[in-house]
Amino acid sequence: MGEDFNTDSMLDMFLYESEQLLETLENVVLEKKDEDCFDEASINEIFRAMHTIKGSSGIMMYENITKVSHKLEDVFYYLRESHPENVPHLELVDHVLEVSDFINGELDKIREGETPDGDESKIVDEIDKFLTRIKTGIEKKGDELPPENTYVEPEQFYIAPTGSESSKYYKVSIYWRGDTQMCNIRAYTAVYSLKEIVEDMQYIPEDIITNEASSEVILADGFHMLVKCQATDEELISTIGETSGMDHVEIHDCTQQEFEMGFHHQDEDNIIINLDDKEKDSEEKKEKKEPTPGDYVIKNKESGKSKKLAKNQPKQQPKQTYISVNVEKLDALMDMIGELVISEAVVLQNPDLKVPGLDLTNFQKAAGQLSKITTELQDVIMSMRMMSLTNTFQKMNRIVFDVSRKLGKDIELEVIGENTEVDKNIIEHISDPLMHLIRNSVDHGIESKEDRIAAGKNPKGKITLEAKNEGGKVYIIVRDDGKGLNKQALYDKAKNNGLIGNRAMSEFTEKEIYQFITYAGFSTKEQVTEYSGRGVGMDVVVKNIQSVGGNLEIDSMEGAGSEMTLKIPLTLAIINGIVMQVGNSTFVIETNAVKEFVRISRDMLVKEPDGEEYIMLRNECYPFIRLNQRYHLEESKTDIEDGIVVVLEHESKFICVFIDELIAEQEIVVKPIPSYIRKVQGLSGCTQLGDGSIALILDIAGLIAGEERK
Amino acid sequence: MSEELLEEFEDEQDAQKGMFMTFQMGGECYGIAITFVQEIVGIQPITAVPEIEDYIKGLINIRGKIIPVIDVRVRFKQEPFEYTDRTCIIVINVKSTIVGLIVDKIAGVITVDEREIILPPSLSQSGSVSSKYVFGLAKVDDEVKLLLDPERLIQDEDIAAFGEVVSGTEVSAEA
């Protein structure tokens, strides 16, 4: 009717599946790139991946992908079946990666909604030539070629002839009744059963598997086989057996020459055995000896190449089962658990319960149980969105491989802590920055081999990629043992580009100087390469990291290397917070940030002439903020001895905040302040309390920054 | 002939077209297209947010959703008023931004034919500030209602642009 077949969900599945397969493929290849050839497991895996992609892209009608994967599948089929030696390994690796890149490119186009119009013919040609090369390399040695990889399953059996004096030759013909269906399949059944006992055979029509029209030919002319075996004709007949529709079977003796000439002449002696007579023969057959093993020898085409020892293969990790879930559903689930936590608070802190004299022991017990379960539920749901960094780190392998090869450097990538889990959202945002940092390390950081040898370093450069969880944050560190950052060069460049005005170098701390490289438009690379040097990378990196609330720290030692640390807070939609009152407003501070609460006396307060206040606590001086003044709140306590001072810490910086009173410690659901309200420094979100009122969440970093700005 | 029928058909389809929610504000009667109105709630405790524009009064909590509210009189630079029990909050949804408008009194829903909307005369600078938020006047039962453009009402281009500049300088200073 012209209705469009809805391919959307199919397309999603195809894209997702193919992406996964290509990722696995790349990993397998990169794992084995340093060895001299692929082992059996890898070959199988690559073959399977290409086979699947070929099939699914065929269904989706993306011909160029099908062709390319088919070609590579051919190569790996050949490798799998005939185990050739001396396959140029790096070339093969290159071809595989080339194919993978091509398909990825096409998949990207499809994802964007464009047509995948890449030209595959060049890649196909190259792989074809490669395949021919390794095949002809084999022929020169005189080995046998494995059969062509056709779509026919199972393949034709190439059974090498054995010389044996007692071999007999027969021509067997099977005729079926006129109305029999699928004679070609029945004929094949006969062939299949016979192959167990014959040494060699040919048959006509030959295309019984692939060509349905052969069925009619068989009906008309019969199915003919030329057979060489040790068995007698009666054994042959019994092996062929009796299938419905079979009219009769003819067996004729024939000579060796006739056998070798094939189906080009007629036979002489005819022994026609009607199926009706079978009963007579069956008694005779039972008396016949069963063929003993060893009577019939069928030579296999297996070459003698030994399989790689199992112990040399990396131990397979126990496979985990995964299920793919739409991210929207997970988001909805996260929202709902947030609402649940709030509802729980509303119930447990309900004013109705505050009736004096009410015995609530049973209620408290039950409430405790409820809280426990809710917390656990919350933990599990939060963990659902967490993904391990393994995949992201694997991608870095590829980059190091590519860039180091192209620049002629020898670099090893060490990965630590890849099992660390972070929220999916974060992974998406740090993938690009990480790639950029690694590229920088390879391009700028690690010196060329000659320079390294001259400096007395190991000519093989090393980049370490480490991830760890610490103090509610995820640290991702990129460490290289290259030439490090030159402070003077950085300062000069920044000054020349007008990024820092006229301040002297001494005014900056070391860390600040290193941060120059993150300024837009900064680059000390003399030449722009394909990979870096344009000076637009690092500031984008920093922006991406900041968009998930993290920051980038840079440390370096000239001549020894550099270390870039990404610090990213775990997305905490639900945090432990302390609720406090200032005037008519309620605020919440994250429990982790609170160091202590103190009541202070007037003599601990120091006031500067410009209005700044400080608190002396245990001989340390801390900046002091009165929230009521900062935020112009009314009706709050002003006498320092009436309220409470909260000492807060953020990244080794301390600050004291004056509040009226503490209310409670509880779990709160962080909700963003509606975007309509423009960003207020010092507030990072809001939440609803048990009684329905709204509390504002204080952002310590913002408060501290505000103080410093003054 | 068929075109007219088609038009009528369309009008009937869009039952909300031409319908305006009207409310009282300091002696004037205003209207807002009902397609923007999500709901109307009575006045609720408002949580103040420090350091924001004066016409944004703060946040309220409606069934779990946290919504910012605007005092329309302050927006129009008129005298602010005491909130009474009759004060209402009209929750509007403009291009996915949900905002509550605090108004004196709700009047009702009126239907105004498109062709009867008169463009406001351009006033001199001494004219009321509200003129830029009003896109038309409608005369209903001897009363003139000022029809508001919700987007202009909640959007303040100066503030938005300023906000971006501020956050931009913050980033580079901290770097």
Side-chain angles (χ1 to χ4, degrees):
Chain A
M1 269 293 288
E3 232 182 83
D4 263 330
F5 183 49
N6 185 352
T7 51
D8 278 347
S9 52
M10 268 176 68
L11 190 62
D12 281 339
M13 279 284 288
F14 166 69
L15 287 171
Y16 177 71
E17 188 189 61
S18 305
E19 201 184 304
Q20 298 291 92
L21 283 169
L22 285 176
E23 241 181 71
T24 326
L25 182 81
E26 238 184 68
N27 288 341
V28 166
V29 167
L30 287 174
E31 238 177 84
K32 300 283 173 197
K33 69 172 160 47
D34 288 329
E35 321 222 348
D36 41 335
C37 69
F38 286 117
D39 65 322
E40 198 162 322
S42 314
I43 294 183
N44 277 332
E45 193 141 355
I46 300 178
F47 174 78
R48 256 181 273 126
M50 280 295 122
H51 187 72
T52 313
I53 293 183
K54 178 189 77 182
S56 38
S57 61
I59 296 179
M60 301 301 294
M61 315 249 267
Y62 295 124
E63 287 214 7
N64 49 357
I65 302 182
T66 315
K67 286 202 192 117
V68 136
S69 41
H70 180 29
K71 206 71 207 162
L72 197 61
E73 184 197 8
D74 280 346
V75 174
F76 278 88
Y77 175 75
Y78 178 69
L79 292 179
R80 192 174 81 164
E81 296 302 312
S82 54
H83 307 280
E85 309 193 355
N86 300 329
V87 176
H89 185 69
L90 268 180
E91 231 188 282
L92 181 57
V93 165
D94 270 339
H95 282 303
V96 178
L97 291 179
E98 218 182 322
V99 168
S100 168
D101 284 341
F102 175 79
I103 300 182
N104 262 321
E106 297 304 291
L107 289 181
D108 281 337
K109 286 188 201 156
I110 299 172
R111 217 172 274 125
E112 299 289 320
E114 299 164 11
T115 23
D117 51 3
D119 184 16
E120 79 288 359
S121 46
K122 199 161 144 290
I123 301 184
V124 169
D125 272 343
E126 283 176 24
I127 300 183
D128 207 17
K129 289 198 196 104
F130 178 77
L131 182 59
T132 328
R133 258 180 43 220
I134 45 178
K135 273 190 186 165
T136 49
I138 296 294
E139 269 181 6
K140 287 198 188 117
K141 291 192 201 156
D143 290 352
E144 289 158 13
L145 274 179
E148 282 288 312
N149 180 20
T150 59
Y151 287 103
V152 176
E153 298 246 351
E155 281 92 48
Q156 284 221 0
F157 300 101
Y158 185 67
I159 305 172
T162 36
S164 172
E165 295 293 315
S166 52
S167 300
K168 302 191 199 64
Y169 298 89
Y170 299 99
K171 179 177 175 192
V172 182
S173 303
I174 312 181
Y175 297 89
W176 275 275
R177 283 197 285 273
D179 57 352
T180 315
Q181 305 274 358
M182 297 197 303
C183 295
N184 51 337
I185 308 292
R186 298 168 195 273
Y188 186 74
T189 321
V191 168
Y192 189 79
S193 23
L194 274 182
K195 90 153 168 79
E196 303 283 339
I197 59 169
V198 305
E199 288 156 16
D200 196 5
M201 77 155 90
Q202 307 167 45
Y203 49 82
I204 185 172
E206 291 183 339
D207 53 351
I208 44 178
I209 309 287
T210 49
N211 189 355
E212 277 181 25
S214 56
S215 191
E216 289 158 28
V217 173
I218 295 177
L219 270 178
D221 299 332
F223 182 68
H224 308 283
M225 296 181 269
L226 279 172
V227 168
K228 170 183 169 186
C229 61
Q230 309 271 1
T232 65
D233 40 18
E234 288 97 346
E235 280 166 343
L236 284 176
I237 304 239
S238 72
T239 314
I240 292 174
E242 183 186 336
T243 56
S244 69
M246 236 190 238
D247 191 58
H248 61 273
V249 181
E250 288 177 0
I251 294 199
H252 314 274
D253 285 341
C254 65
T255 64
Q256 185 165 4
Q257 291 115 314
E258 284 162 359
F259 176 79
E260 264 139 35
M261 276 175 65
F263 285 101
H264 292 302
H265 71 289
Q266 283 297 318
D267 35 296
E268 279 126 24
D269 297 323
N270 286 336
I271 312 171
I272 299 177
I273 304 172
N274 266 327
L275 285 176
D276 299 331
D277 294 335
K278 260 198 114 177
E279 284 145 6
K280 275 191 253 160
D281 295 326
S282 58
E283 291 156 335
E284 287 178 30
K285 274 178 234 152
K286 278 180 198 147
E287 290 160 34
K288 279 257 178 340
K289 225 174 30 158
E290 285 293 290
T292 57
D295 275 357
Y296 311 120
V297 178
I298 300 175
K299 181 180 167 186
N300 250 335
K301 51 177 171 46
E302 232 174 50
S303 69
K305 185 162 183 166
S306 58
K307 301 193 176 160
K308 246 198 156 99
L309 288 175
K311 69 174 181 209
N312 288 338
Q313 285 173 347
K315 185 159 172 204
Q316 292 258 314
Q317 296 207 315
K319 272 214 156 77
Q320 295 165 305
T321 43
Y322 289 95
I323 185 174
S324 50
V325 177
N326 195 325
V327 176
E328 279 174 16
K329 292 188 190 167
L330 280 183
D331 282 341
L333 193 56
M334 286 271 292
D335 284 343
M336 217 147 293
I337 190 68
E339 297 302 314
L340 182 63
V341 168
I342 294 178
S343 281
E344 187 202 344
V346 171
V347 168
L348 296 183
Q349 294 170 17
N350 210 300
D352 287 355
L353 295 171
K354 296 205 176 23
V355 176
L358 206 54
D359 179 16
L360 289 174
T361 29
N362 285 331
F363 177 79
Q364 299 286 19
K365 267 207 306 209
Q369 182 68 356
L370 178 66
S371 287
K372 215 162 61 114
I373 296 178
T374 322
T375 313
E376 224 180 286
L377 183 62
Q378 190 188 306
D379 282 341
V380 171
I381 293 182
M382 298 271 292
S383 76
M384 287 203 314
R385 275 184 64 104
M386 309 275 268
M387 286 170 49
S388 82
L389 285 165
T390 323
N391 279 340
T392 318
F393 284 7
Q394 302 278 30
K395 288 202 197 111
M396 305 299 141
N397 260 325
R398 178 76 199 272
I399 295 178
V400 171
F401 180 68
D402 279 346
V403 180
S404 58
R405 279 236 305 196
K406 295 220 169 99
L407 295 176
K409 299 180 185 173
D410 192 9
I411 301 183
E412 177 198 338
L413 178 69
E414 185 188 1
V415 174
I416 307 177
E418 59 185 4
N419 289 323
T420 313
E421 291 194 339
V422 288
D423 189 272
K424 183 178 190 308
N425 197 29
I426 294 179
I427 289 189
E428 285 162 14
H429 279 96
I430 59 158
S431 185
D432 281 343
L434 256 189
M435 282 202 281
H436 194 93
L437 290 178
I438 297 236
R439 269 207 202 101
N440 275 353
S441 287
V442 177
D443 199 1
H444 303 255
I446 308 268
E447 318 93 321
S448 65
K449 268 204 204 125
E450 300 83 37
D451 289 343
R452 286 181 73 86
I453 296 176
K457 291 184 187 175
N458 187 337
K460 189 167 182 147
K462 183 157 168 188
I463 299 183
T464 311
L465 186 54
E466 186 181 343
K468 57 183 179 183
N469 246 323
E470 218 171 273
K473 290 199 182 179
V474 174
Y475 288 65
I476 301 180
I477 307 169
V478 179
R479 205 180 291 126
D480 69 64
D481 62 353
K483 61 177 191 261
L485 296 168
N486 180 327
K487 290 198 284 280
Q488 188 65 46
L490 292 179
Y491 171 76
D492 289 337
K493 192 71 177 215
K495 191 147 179 217
N496 290 339
N497 286 354
L499 296 170
I500 51 170
N502 274 326
R503 295 159 73 177
M505 190 161 151
S506 49
E507 287 188 35
F508 297 98
T509 66
E510 219 178 68
K511 291 231 163 128
E512 284 172 341
I513 296 186
Y514 292 142
Q515 285 279 339
F516 286 170
I517 63 175
T518 64
Y519 288 13
F522 181 98
S523 174
T524 49
K525 201 117 209 266
E526 297 302 321
Q527 282 171 316
V528 172
T529 70
E530 185 187 326
Y531 303 101
S532 45
R534 285 194 207 87
V536 289
M538 284 305 278
D539 66 322
V540 173
V541 165
V542 170
K543 265 214 190 62
N544 270 343
I545 299 172
Q546 282 177 344
S547 71
V548 286
N551 58 359
L552 176 66
E553 267 183 26
I554 307 172
D555 202 2
S556 173
M557 187 141 68
E558 212 170 327
S562 313
E563 189 173 290
M564 315 259 163
T565 310
L566 292 163
K567 286 192 190 160
I568 303 168
L570 295 172
T571 313
L572 294 172
I574 299 181
I575 62 174
N576 277 323
I578 300 188
V579 185
M580 46 193 84
Q581 188 89 15
V582 182
N584 281 336
S585 305
T586 324
F587 292 95
V588 178
I589 297 184
E590 197 186 346
T591 314
N592 282 338
V594 176
K595 283 293 148 253
E596 62 181 305
F597 299 102
V598 277
R599 272 202 192 276
I600 60 170
S601 51
R602 220 159 275 141
D603 52 356
M604 293 160 87
L605 182 64
V606 173
K607 198 162 177 165
E608 277 199 5
D610 60 356
E612 297 274 314
E613 287 177 298
Y614 295 93
I615 297 226
M616 294 298 297
L617 198 58
R618 291 185 291 265
N619 290 329
E620 292 263 345
C621 199
Y622 300 111
F624 182 66
I625 296 184
R626 291 181 190 257
L627 276 178
N628 49 358
Q629 286 175 359
R630 181 61 104 68
Y631 291 144
H632 312 290
L633 306 166
E634 296 151 0
E635 295 179 32
S636 70
K637 298 199 174 118
T638 44
D639 192 339
I640 190 117
E641 297 199 344
D642 273 346
I644 300 177
V645 171
V646 186
V647 183
L648 305 167
E649 183 200 356
H650 178 73
E651 286 189 0
S652 333
K653 292 192 191 142
F654 289 86
I655 195 167
C656 290
V657 172
F658 183 61
I659 62 168
D660 292 357
E661 62 178 298
L662 290 173
I663 299 181
E665 185 197 354
Q666 65 178 85
E667 271 176 353
I668 55 157
V669 180
V670 176
K671 293 200 168 178
I673 294 184
S675 52
Y676 177 63
I677 296 182
R678 81 179 153 87
K679 199 161 149 42
V680 179
Q681 191 187 48
L683 295 180
S684 65
C686 55
T687 183
Q688 294 158 305
L689 299 174
D691 58 356
S693 64
I694 301 175
L696 299 167
I697 304 176
L698 287 178
D699 167 35
I700 317 298
L703 283 179
I704 293 178
E707 278 302 294
E708 287 178 351
R709 188 92 42 77
K710 280 194 203 145
Chain B
M1 168 94 157
S2 52
E3 280 175 7
E4 282 173 28
L5 283 176
L6 207 59
E7 256 183 41
E8 265 184 47
F9 182 66
E10 277 177 357
D11 281 346
E12 278 176 32
Q13 288 284 332
D14 189 359
Q16 296 190 331
K17 196 171 167 185
M19 299 185 76
F20 292 84
M21 177 90 244
T22 55
F23 53 92
Q24 289 262 23
M25 286 281 302
E28 298 288 332
C29 208
Y30 297 88
I32 197 164
I34 211 165
T35 42
F36 296 108
V37 178
Q38 249 188 317
E39 63 186 295
I40 301 175
V41 291
I43 192 73
Q44 300 192 345
I46 302 174
T47 310
V49 178
E51 292 191 15
I52 52 175
E53 295 89 336
D54 54 351
Y55 59 90
I56 305 183
K57 279 285 167 234
L59 305 168
I60 59 169
N61 174 3
I62 296 184
R63 289 188 312 276
K65 283 229 144 24
I66 298 189
I67 299 174
V69 286
I70 297 179
D71 187 327
V72 185
R73 283 180 89 155
V74 178
R75 183 76 167 126
F76 289 171
K77 306 244 189 328
Q78 294 173 355
E79 288 288 315
F81 64 108
E82 280 285 321
Y83 298 158
T84 70
D85 312 352
R86 302 218 60 189
T87 313
C88 295
I89 300 179
I90 304 179
V91 180
I92 61 172
N93 183 341
V94 183
K95 284 195 184 153
S96 330
T97 310
I98 302 185
V99 179
L101 307 172
I102 307 176
V103 300
D104 287 6
K105 217 161 70 165
I106 301 283
V109 179
I110 57 168
T111 315
V112 179
D113 198 298
E114 233 179 53
R115 292 162 283 209
E116 289 183 24
I117 298 179
I118 315 159
L119 287 170
S122 49
L123 300 164
S124 63
Q125 76 274 27
S126 60
S128 93
V129 178
S130 60
S131 60
K132 64 177 171 170
Y133 306 116
V134 176
F135 73 89
L137 303 167
K139 193 156 181 303
V140 177
D141 296 337
D142 294 335
E143 257 192 10
V144 177
K145 316 238 186 238
L146 299 135
L147 303 176
L148 297 171
D149 179 354
E151 272 177 72
R152 286 269 191 76
L153 193 62
I154 65 175
Q155 204 68 277
D156 197 334
E157 295 87 5
D158 309 322
I159 302 287
F162 179 64
E164 275 179 28
V165 171
V166 167
S167 51
T169 49
E170 272 174 10
V171 168
S172 53
E174 283 170 21

